[in-house]
Amino acid sequence: MENNLLLKVEGLKTYFFSREGTLKAVDGVSFDIKRGETLGIAGESGCGKSVTAQSILRIVPQNGRITGGNILFNLNERGFINLVKLNPEGEEIRKIRGKEISMIFQEPMTSFSPVHTIGNQIMEVIMLHQALSRKEAKEKAIELLKKVGMPKPTQMIDAYPFNLSGGMRQRAMIAMALSCQPSLLIADEPTTAVDVTIQAQVLELIKELQKELNMALIIITHDLAVIAELADKVLIMYLGKNVEYASVDELFYNPKHPYTKGLLASIPKLGKGSRQRIEPISGSVPSPYEMPSGCLFHPRCPRFIPGVCDKKEPPFIEIGENHKVSCFLYKR
């Protein structure tokens, strides 16, 4: 494998087990990301985006587990290590979490501890992975808060999460994620809890810090505008499976899968006025416990082929340079 490759996910399967049955949250997902590159993962709610991120960090909830596939991460001098083989509670993965791979969680209000100051929580990460005293860790935490644009960082370091606005909490979360200058940053819906103005500021901040630190970035979102703003490559997911994988330009200007086309058609076009017709994807996402046979998207697909799409699962094939799709409309 090339040295510039940072992360390679191969056929990842993460299932959840309950009395109702087996929920295949992630079912055979594959992608890779190079150093300094940005991958956008998009799809409707419940398609497995966040579980993919949890699987990489090995923080899947207790009733779920990785049942197949590999997550190969480049640790420089040690080469590639398969994160799937590590004990999720072991010392080795704990050294990687926060230091080599960090995550900005979807809702910082529930991700921060409400009974500790944001300063103490950032300092804890710094002291866990770096040989710094408490005083040095506090100085670094203040420096990080200043870097992410937190107003009055010397005062805010002693604030509790509930003292901060949504935008300030998100900045504190970014500061904590970047405290050890990770090789890979995973941002899970980083702008969900903030308004449009703050969203633009947060995205610009992430772009600047990524460039400064030469980090790889995985941005998880249902907002394709965010993908267009940040990503180099895009993975579209549906019910735990990858349906299309391409460069950002190729995906937006030459989408192939009917689901990808449906997502793009459902976005209002700038300059078209209030009378433009939005084309929503027909039907609704099926129950994860009652998956349709064959292609999972066929009950909602406008180009459904009877006797084919409802009988067999389409292979994930390459149809162009760095462009893959899972659809019977395209042959090898």
Side-chain angles (χ1 to χ4, degrees):
M1 268 186 269
E2 59 182 289
N3 194 48
N4 197 34
L5 188 65
L6 182 66
L7 179 75
K8 188 174 182 66
V9 176
E10 301 174 326
L12 177 64
K13 295 183 178 183
T14 304
Y15 296 174
F16 288 81
F17 303 91
S18 65
R19 293 177 183 176
E20 290 81 9
T22 301
L23 192 158
K24 299 178 180 181
V26 178
D27 194 19
V29 166
S30 299
F31 60 86
D32 57 59
I33 184 168
K34 297 176 182 177
R35 296 182 188 279
E37 193 173 49
T38 301
L39 171 72
I41 302 180
E44 292 170 291
S45 296
C47 71
K49 304 185 299 293
S50 295
V51 177
T52 300
Q54 292 170 352
S55 301
I56 293 170
L57 278 170
R58 301 303 314 278
I59 54 172
V60 176
Q62 284 187 341
N63 63 330
R65 69 172 184 266
I66 297 173
T67 60
N70 299 303
I71 303 171
L72 305 173
F73 185 71
N74 192 345
L75 277 175
N76 296 321
E77 68 283 346
R78 290 183 58 187
F80 284 88
I81 184 169
N82 192 349
L83 302 183
V84 172
K85 304 293 185 184
L86 303 183
N87 178 355
E89 297 178 3
E91 185 179 346
E92 196 167 5
I93 191 66
R94 290 205 306 269
K95 287 180 179 178
I96 293 172
R97 283 191 208 117
K99 185 179 181 184
E100 298 292 341
I101 307 174
S102 279
M103 186 165 174
I104 301 170
F105 291 92
Q106 192 169 135
E107 175 45 80
M109 189 63 188
T110 55
S111 303
F112 276 119
S113 164
V115 297
H116 297 92
T117 65
I118 60 165
N120 277 331
Q121 293 178 69
I122 296 170
M123 288 159 60
E124 182 181 11
V125 176
I126 294 169
M127 293 167 68
L128 181 66
H129 295 292
Q130 300 176 44
L132 297 178
S133 66
R134 187 170 181 81
K135 182 182 178 183
E136 290 170 328
K138 184 172 184 178
E139 289 172 355
K140 184 164 185 178
I142 292 170
E143 184 184 324
L144 283 163
L145 290 174
K146 186 177 180 180
K147 180 177 281 190
V148 299
M150 180 73 78
K152 300 178 181 178
T154 52
Q155 296 175 31
M156 289 302 177
I157 196 168
D158 295 320
Y160 289 88
F162 53 80
N163 296 138
L164 306 178
S165 67
M168 291 165 76
R169 277 196 296 270
Q170 197 62 281
R171 288 174 187 274
M173 176 64 68
I174 294 170
M176 185 160 70
L178 299 178
S179 58
C180 295
Q181 298 188 0
S183 305
L184 173 63
L185 176 65
I186 302 172
D188 186 5
E189 300 277 11
T191 57
T192 297
V194 296
D195 61 39
V196 177
T197 308
I198 302 299
Q199 172 178 312
Q201 293 175 6
V202 169
L203 294 179
E204 191 60 36
L205 175 63
I206 290 173
K207 280 171 65 177
E208 288 175 5
L209 294 170
Q210 180 193 14
K211 188 175 181 180
E212 181 184 332
L213 302 173
N214 193 34
M215 290 183 303
L217 172 66
I218 295 177
I219 183 89
I220 296 171
T221 181
H222 61 271
D223 189 341
L224 289 172
V226 173
I227 295 284
E229 176 77 14
L230 292 178
D232 300 309
K233 297 189 296 191
V234 189
L235 175 68
I236 302 293
M237 291 182 65
Y238 184 75
L239 287 176
K241 293 185 179 291
N242 24 235
V243 296
E244 190 158 2
Y245 182 50
S247 70
V248 67
D249 288 340
E250 182 74 7
L251 188 110
F252 276 86
Y253 292 109
N254 189 27
K256 294 298 186 183
H257 199 282
Y259 178 61
T260 308
K261 292 179 179 180
L263 290 176
L264 292 169
S266 64
I267 302 171
K269 304 295 187 294
L270 193 65
K272 294 280 187 177
S274 59
R275 294 186 179 182
Q276 65 177 297
R277 185 174 178 82
I278 304 300
E279 301 175 29
I281 299 173
S282 64
S284 57
V285 179
S287 165
Y289 296 109
E290 297 177 6
M291 295 286 205
S293 59
C295 172
L296 299 181
F297 186 62
H298 87 259
R300 307 173 68 190
C301 184
R303 302 191 65 184
F304 163 57
I305 306 170
V308 177
C309 299
D310 53 345
K311 298 297 182 183
K312 298 182 290 183
E313 186 178 321
F316 194 52
I317 59 170
E318 192 158 352
I319 57 169
E321 187 178 354
N322 298 318
H323 194 162
K324 295 182 178 180
V325 68
S326 177
C327 185
F328 286 117
L329 294 171
Y330 307 97
K331 297 179 181 179
R332 290 183 186 273

